[in-house]
Amino acid sequence: QVQLVESGGGLVQAGGSLRLSCADSGRSFSISDMGWFRQAPGKERESVAGISWTGARTYYADSVKGRATISRDNAKKTLYLQMNSLKPEDTAVYYCNAVTSSSNLTPLRSWGQGTQVTVSS
């Protein structure tokens, strides 16, 4: 079964950094625009960042702009999200998914299990 597997989350103090990874077992990763999403407790899932299949175009939500960098390695079928200057409000479960485009982050596939990011103040 084709899966998206997120990893790299953890507990970090405010101001710290984390690098999230998303491994895709499918065949279409290298030609798919991809995105990162997050869901905080009691809130709806929201889009965080997107990247085109070539990596040439990126998109960031205002809430993470300047603190996050999305990247990908098509040879490894892996998506990354580098998060710096983390804030308590970044606490959430982070998910990746294929998307309709790097700027229109409509998810296309089933969700993985996500990776928990907890930022302490």
Side-chain angles (χ1 to χ4, degrees):
Q1 184 176 357
V2 176
Q3 287 185 318
L4 296 164
V5 180
E6 301 89 348
S7 62
L11 174 62
V12 63
Q13 288 188 333
S17 299
L18 282 174
R19 189 193 195 201
L20 308 182
S21 298
C22 166
D24 186 356
S25 63
R27 296 182 177 182
S28 61
F29 179 86
S30 63
I31 58 171
S32 297
D33 287 8
M34 297 292 294
W36 281 100
F37 301 78
R38 67 185 182 186
Q39 186 168 22
K43 295 186 177 182
E44 293 189 355
R45 186 151 28 204
E46 62 177 1
S47 57
V48 174
I51 187 167
S52 61
W53 65 275
T54 64
R57 297 186 304 278
T58 57
Y59 159 85
Y60 297 97
D62 288 343
S63 58
V64 302
K65 198 171 294 182
R67 302 187 297 118
T69 303
I70 188 171
S71 61
R72 64 190 299 160
D73 185 331
N74 286 344
K76 295 182 178 179
K77 296 195 295 183
T78 302
L79 180 72
Y80 303 100
L81 183 69
Q82 176 71 42
M83 293 282 294
N84 301 322
S85 301
L86 283 160
K87 304 176 181 180
E89 50 263 45
D90 294 318
T91 295
V93 179
Y94 284 70
Y95 303 85
C96 65
N97 209 323
V99 293
T100 49
S101 77
S102 58
S103 57
N104 179 6
L105 302 183
T106 300
L108 295 173
R109 296 167 56 182
S110 299
W111 296 102
Q113 85 289 348
T115 186
Q116 175 71 50
V117 172
T118 303
V119 184
S120 63
S121 57

